[in-house]
Amino acid sequence: MKKLILIVVASLLFLTGCNTSASVIDSEKMDEVVNAIKEAYGDDYGPEVEIEAEMIKDVYQIDTDNLEYFIVEGPMMSLSTDMMFALLAKDGKVDDVVADVEAYQDYLINESFQYPMNMARVKASQIVVKGNAVFFLVLGAFDERTEVSEEEALDFAQEQVSIGVDAIESLLG
């Protein structure tokens, strides 16, 4: 009887372990998620330029050798901070990709020059990881209020970024 229980438990553990492939996202699904993000923001989706692999590696310091597929969009002008990274990590490379994106986020927040009007947006940026997909969002409507505290500006920016996070969650759970 103990042997049977051990076999059943081992089988369940094996099947559960094999089920991790269900969290693997492909390029088609990634395109669907990116479209959902854009639709969620509508006219407030600000990135205007698709970023090429060379710039991803040189400017954002993301090792493209760890990527299976990517869609990276950013601002046309340096005055804007709007950007969206949708990165599919190669097998076993999710942690490396996340580390690269975290390093870039840290650079944006702590080292890069930011216009005062953009600082809340940069601080509100979010990294979302779902299976082998890594997203980085600095998105949303521009806060046109002129007399707001830093906390109010950050709250507004966080609400805006959450629109994209919600779009990702709705498709990838």
Side-chain angles (χ1 to χ4, degrees):
M1 185 65 158
K2 281 185 180 181
K3 224 179 206 185
L4 180 61
I5 292 172
L6 285 174
I7 291 171
V8 170
V9 170
S11 297
L12 288 173
L13 288 172
F14 176 76
L15 290 174
T16 304
C18 290
N19 222 5
T20 57
S21 63
S23 65
V24 174
I25 298 162
D26 62 14
S27 59
E28 254 181 63
K29 189 66 169 179
M30 188 63 95
D31 290 341
E32 187 181 332
V33 173
V34 168
N35 287 333
I37 292 168
K38 290 178 179 184
E39 287 175 21
Y41 284 106
D43 291 340
D44 290 329
Y45 183 82
E48 304 159 314
V49 178
E50 219 172 281
I51 308 298
E52 300 296 322
E54 187 175 311
M55 190 171 175
I56 293 168
K57 196 171 199 166
D58 295 343
V59 174
Y60 301 115
Q61 301 294 304
I62 295 171
D63 187 349
T64 53
D65 292 339
N66 293 332
L67 302 177
E68 181 178 308
Y69 181 78
F70 62 85
I71 299 170
V72 176
E73 296 181 343
M76 187 175 287
M77 300 172 65
S78 64
L79 181 64
S80 176
T81 56
D82 289 310
M83 65 183 79
M84 188 273 315
F85 298 2
L87 313 169
L88 280 180
K90 288 182 178 175
D91 190 35
K93 296 297 183 179
V94 173
D95 291 340
D96 295 334
V97 173
V98 170
D100 287 349
V101 176
E102 285 174 342
Y104 182 69
Q105 182 185 38
D106 182 66
Y107 163 77
L108 273 181
I109 294 170
N110 297 308
E111 298 175 39
S112 71
F113 170 79
Q114 294 296 328
Y115 293 101
M117 63 192 178
N118 290 335
M119 200 60 220
R121 298 183 81 206
V122 169
K123 285 182 179 178
S125 64
Q126 283 200 33
I127 299 168
V128 179
V129 181
K130 295 291 182 182
N132 61 323
V134 180
F135 299 89
F136 178 60
L137 307 176
V138 184
L139 296 171
F142 182 72
D143 190 354
E144 295 184 18
R145 302 174 296 174
T146 54
E147 299 294 322
V148 295
S149 68
E150 284 184 36
E151 187 176 314
E152 290 170 322
L154 183 59
D155 287 345
F156 179 86
Q158 288 170 333
E159 288 172 14
Q160 290 300 304
V161 169
S162 71
I163 294 168
V165 173
D166 291 346
I168 294 166
E169 292 288 335
S170 72
L171 289 173
L172 301 179

